[in-house]
Amino acid sequence: MKPEPIQQQGKAVVYQVFTRLFGNQNDTNKPWGTSKENGVGKFADFDDRALEALKSYGVSHLWYTGVLHHAMLTHYPGITDDHPSVVKGLAGSPYAIKDYYNVNPDLATDPSNRLAEFEALIVRTHAHDMKVIIDIVPNHLARAYRSTSAPAGMRDFGADDNAAVEYRRDNNFYYVPGQDFCPPDNPDQGQLLARALGATARNAYRESPAKWTGDGARQAKPHWNDWFETVKVNYGIRPDGSYDFPHLPEQYRDLPVADHVEFWADKSVPDSWVKFRAIAFYWLDKGVDGFRYDMAEMVPVEFWSYLNSALKARRPDVTLVAEVYQPDRYRDYIQRGKIDYLYDKVDLYDCLKNIVRGMETTQRLDLLQHQLNDIDGHLLRFLENHDEQRIASPEFAGSAEKGWPAMVVTTLLGRGPTMLYFGQAQGEPAAADLGFGRASRTTIFDYAGVPAHQAWLNGGRCDGGALNEAQRQLDRAYHRLLNFSACAASLQGDFIPLHGANLGQSTGYDELCYSFARCSGNDWILVFVNFNANPRQCVLTVPQAVCALLPRMAPGQTLAEQLNAEGVQHRLTKNDLGDLQLLIDCPRYSAQAFQLLGQ
């Protein structure tokens, strides 16, 4: 039976799916295996049944990762082969784009019709009331970028460059004049790749003169740990770091999109800016609803003002998410760069991971939330994505159960969206080395199956039918949490700390417990989490000053727990100081959210 549509009053939920891996039911997982040996997922795997199942997690946005045509080592007729010296893994890195105007042929049932297949997937996704996000990788391109699908008149990156100079404003790349590119020396991973391809005798990769590497390395021979498979895009930043484009005045921080559009209307900007604006327009016009910008902090804020104001003028409802790891610059990218949501990785994610791993207590959480309160609604929060270690891996928590309290804090602490990575709700541990990708992170470079996700996939039924009991319980918990977050109006309101009032004051409450309230108008919740490995009974105290902020908060009122299947009810009592209290049974690694009965 089709589930009732979710009334989205709370937070957005972004589901990140690694498109190549999602529908793959092959469980061979041979290290360095080909697509024929290990299998590969297709756009067609996202059928109505799959999309309905994803929507059931409360999902509002689907981020299809790895859609664009990137460098790879599988041969397809009519497509230029990539050289193994400048590709990571047989399947290739999804962040080494070789043609911005087409999609990955691996993902198509008929590679010659691959763009139409993706356009059909956009339509199917919209039919299930979810928006489509894809990546744009502005900082770097595949070393052998060459578009065969660009619209008429669109010049390729680098086609008009003067490669005899290191820098020119309208060059798309930076060069190392007089020196040829030399691939890095290969450690074991590179040697294994060469052997897997039988490629040791192939002709050397030619690039003359050499270009700067994607991470900014300026040597003709980058190091293996550099982003050697990519080249750095020139945004008008001179080699000495100075800017060769108009500066956006500080007052534009508080001005609307229309003013940004007007500012750039008569300005001369670097050619790379114009090319990337055309790329974003191309995909918007095909029905894509937003973009996730890779390594946005490696591109100047002025470019983001130029691009994002143009996108929002064209599509006011476009969703723009960016990867930024410098908290002191968050406000620049949000306010001046007009980006909607930034990763909250360096602050909340890193702190929660430390707590789960026993490296710190919950003491810092209130401070982090306070520091980010003015931009809280612009922070995308997560515990997994393609860059990070799986919660269940030994390198993170060692079990999905142990990470559960952190996921509840991630989801309920702020107003911004929550992101769920495919396989996370089933406790995928990413336990195998599968080629270029190493254990603890699900590989993005190799052809592979994802075991816990495949159990959920259950032969394409997408019903979790092959999950074991622990996985099934975890999956149900994620369903409850994310659907609650999607419809709870209180999560669009204020954050009210309770930790300080309880630590050292309330029975059973220690430095591995954490609590807070959220309130919007008449809607509120109390949240309590227990990071401890042992069960306990705790008293949660709500001071009188907080009670005054929560409508109808009074002794004798009944609160209903929202996150657990039992739906336990608790009655508020009053202590001698006039504060209200809840007596809570707290299993190990648990979380509870309490709402006024009937609210």
Side-chain angles (χ1 to χ4, degrees):
M1 186 174 67
K2 188 172 182 178
E4 288 294 317
I6 295 163
Q7 300 302 312
Q8 199 97 24
Q9 301 178 46
K11 292 158 54 98
V13 177
V14 178
Y15 186 95
Q16 184 195 3
V17 57
F18 201 84
T19 315
R20 186 204 311 138
L21 303 180
F22 176 85
N24 182 22
Q25 298 178 43
N26 185 322
D27 61 1
T28 302
N29 275 348
K30 173 186 174 183
W32 301 100
T34 65
S35 59
K36 289 184 178 179
E37 292 170 320
N38 283 356
V40 62
K42 305 292 182 182
F43 291 135
D45 295 322
F46 296 90
D47 57 16
D48 287 330
R49 182 159 48 183
L51 291 168
E52 183 176 308
L54 296 180
K55 180 64 180 176
S56 74
Y57 288 91
V59 171
S60 55
H61 297 72
L62 267 178
W63 167 17
Y64 290 105
T65 306
V67 162
L68 297 174
H69 191 178
H70 58 77
M72 58 194 302
L73 294 176
T74 298
H75 172 74
Y76 286 96
I79 297 175
T80 304
D81 290 339
D82 293 294
H83 196 282
S85 294
V86 288
V87 178
K88 290 181 175 177
L90 291 185
S93 168
Y95 294 100
I97 307 301
K98 68 178 286 183
D99 186 350
Y100 256 114
Y101 291 97
N102 215 322
V103 296
N104 181 356
D106 265 343
L107 305 177
T109 305
D110 175 4
S112 66
N113 195 43
R114 59 193 186 276
L115 188 56
E117 289 190 27
F118 180 58
E119 290 172 329
L121 176 56
I122 294 173
V123 172
R124 288 199 303 277
T125 305
H126 289 164
H128 287 270
D129 195 28
M130 292 181 287
K131 295 186 176 183
V132 172
I133 294 175
I134 65 171
D135 287 284
I136 284 185
V137 188
N139 175 70
H140 47 273
L141 299 168
R143 293 209 90 95
Y145 184 93
R146 178 174 174 267
S147 177
T148 59
S149 309
M154 182 60 63
R155 301 284 290 171
D156 249 355
F157 285 96
D160 301 314
D161 281 8
N162 176 2
V165 297
E166 181 181 38
Y167 169 83
R168 185 174 68 99
R169 192 196 76 158
D170 289 320
N171 277 359
N172 297 133
F173 305 123
Y174 299 90
Y175 294 90
V176 187
Q179 297 186 52
D180 292 345
F181 171 77
C182 182
D185 295 328
N186 290 347
D188 288 346
Q189 280 170 287
Q191 293 165 10
L192 286 167
L193 176 58
R195 286 200 292 272
L197 288 166
T200 52
R202 291 184 66 171
N203 293 331
Y205 175 73
R206 298 285 299 169
E207 180 181 299
S208 184
K211 303 179 183 75
W212 287 15
T213 293
D215 57 352
R218 304 184 184 191
Q219 298 78 24
K221 181 179 180 178
H223 189 272
W224 179 262
N225 291 328
D226 289 326
W227 303 346
F228 65 85
E229 81 280 21
T230 65
V231 292
K232 174 78 173 173
V233 175
N234 169 21
Y235 280 86
I237 299 179
R238 301 182 184 93
D240 66 4
S242 61
Y243 287 178
D244 201 359
F245 50 79
H247 174 69
L248 182 69
E250 178 62 24
Q251 65 262 31
Y252 279 79
R253 182 181 301 276
D254 301 314
L255 295 180
V257 162
D259 291 56
H260 286 244
V261 172
E262 184 178 0
F263 175 82
W264 293 111
D266 61 351
K267 303 295 189 298
S268 172
V269 298
D271 183 71
S272 296
W273 295 27
V274 179
K275 282 184 165 65
F276 269 100
R277 185 179 64 175
I279 288 164
F281 281 176
Y282 173 83
W283 289 108
L284 272 192
D285 292 346
K286 287 195 175 295
V288 166
D289 302 293
F291 304 104
R292 178 265 186 189
Y293 297 134
D294 186 74
M295 295 307 296
E297 65 189 10
M298 298 182 77
V299 176
V301 168
E302 277 80 0
F303 166 72
W304 294 120
S305 166
Y306 166 85
L307 173 64
N308 294 336
S309 62
L311 294 179
K312 291 182 176 186
R314 196 180 189 99
R315 278 272 302 274
D317 64 341
V318 67
T319 300
L320 305 174
V321 178
E323 180 184 26
V324 175
Y325 298 122
Q326 301 177 67
D328 61 330
R329 300 194 66 196
Y330 284 175
R331 291 163 183 81
D332 270 351
Y333 287 96
I334 293 166
Q335 296 162 358
R336 299 176 67 228
K338 299 302 177 187
I339 293 171
D340 296 315
Y341 306 113
L342 303 181
Y343 277 25
D344 186 9
K345 195 271 181 190
V346 174
D347 287 317
L348 185 66
Y349 170 91
D350 284 348
C351 180
L352 288 171
K353 187 174 183 180
N354 284 342
I355 295 168
V356 170
R357 296 175 69 195
M359 298 172 63
E360 68 174 296
T361 70
T362 58
Q363 187 63 36
R364 198 158 58 96
L365 290 172
D366 281 354
L367 176 63
L368 291 178
Q369 186 65 12
H370 175 74
Q371 290 173 340
L372 299 169
N373 189 58
D374 63 314
I375 56 169
D376 172 65
H378 295 282
L379 299 176
L380 175 80
R381 286 171 164 165
F382 57 87
L383 272 192
E384 287 189 359
N385 63 38
H386 67 279
D387 284 321
E388 306 301 339
Q389 293 167 325
R390 290 287 194 174
I391 297 167
S393 70
E395 292 81 359
F396 191 152
S399 75
E401 177 198 20
K402 190 175 178 181
W404 177 245
M407 185 60 196
V408 172
V409 174
T410 296
T411 304
L412 302 183
L413 190 67
R415 295 189 298 273
T418 306
M419 186 163 72
L420 176 69
Y421 192 35
F422 89 115
Q424 178 182 343
Q426 296 79 40
E428 170 59 36
D433 292 338
L434 293 174
F436 198 94
R438 316 306 280 174
S440 82
R441 294 174 175 85
T442 293
T443 180
I444 65 172
F445 307 106
D446 306 286
Y447 296 108
V450 181
H453 172 71
Q454 288 175 323
W456 175 86
L457 202 61
N458 193 26
R461 299 175 187 85
C462 303
D463 61 0
L467 296 171
N468 62 38
E469 184 56 31
Q471 291 172 321
R472 192 172 292 113
Q473 289 184 17
L474 180 70
D475 185 62
R476 290 170 180 162
Y478 270 92
H479 265 98
R480 289 190 295 269
L481 171 64
L482 294 172
N483 277 289
F484 175 72
S485 76
C487 64
S490 57
L491 297 182
Q492 287 303 321
D494 295 332
F495 164 80
I496 304 170
L498 294 173
H499 183 66
N502 282 273
L503 183 62
Q505 306 295 322
S506 298
T507 303
Y509 192 109
D510 68 11
E511 60 188 7
L512 288 179
C513 298
Y514 185 60
S515 57
F516 57 91
R518 299 293 310 280
C519 180
S520 176
N522 289 325
D523 294 301
W524 52 265
I525 58 169
L526 304 177
V527 179
F528 174 85
V529 297
N530 177 28
F531 287 92
N532 284 282
N534 299 311
R536 59 188 52 218
Q537 193 172 68
C538 286
V539 172
L540 178 64
T541 299
V542 185
Q544 292 183 65
V546 173
C547 293
L549 302 174
L550 306 179
R552 295 175 292 161
M553 183 75 161
Q557 290 279 26
T558 300
L559 305 187
E561 205 284 316
Q562 301 295 311
L563 303 184
N564 297 282
E566 298 81 8
V568 176
Q569 296 182 5
H570 294 258
R571 191 171 295 277
L572 287 165
T573 61
K574 193 176 194 179
N575 67 12
D576 293 340
L577 298 175
D579 301 326
L580 298 188
Q581 293 184 322
L582 283 179
L583 181 63
I584 308 172
D585 290 319
C586 313
R588 71 176 195 161
Y589 308 135
S590 64
Q592 300 178 57
F594 302 96
Q595 198 172 52
L596 193 63
L597 190 64
Q599 183 172 293

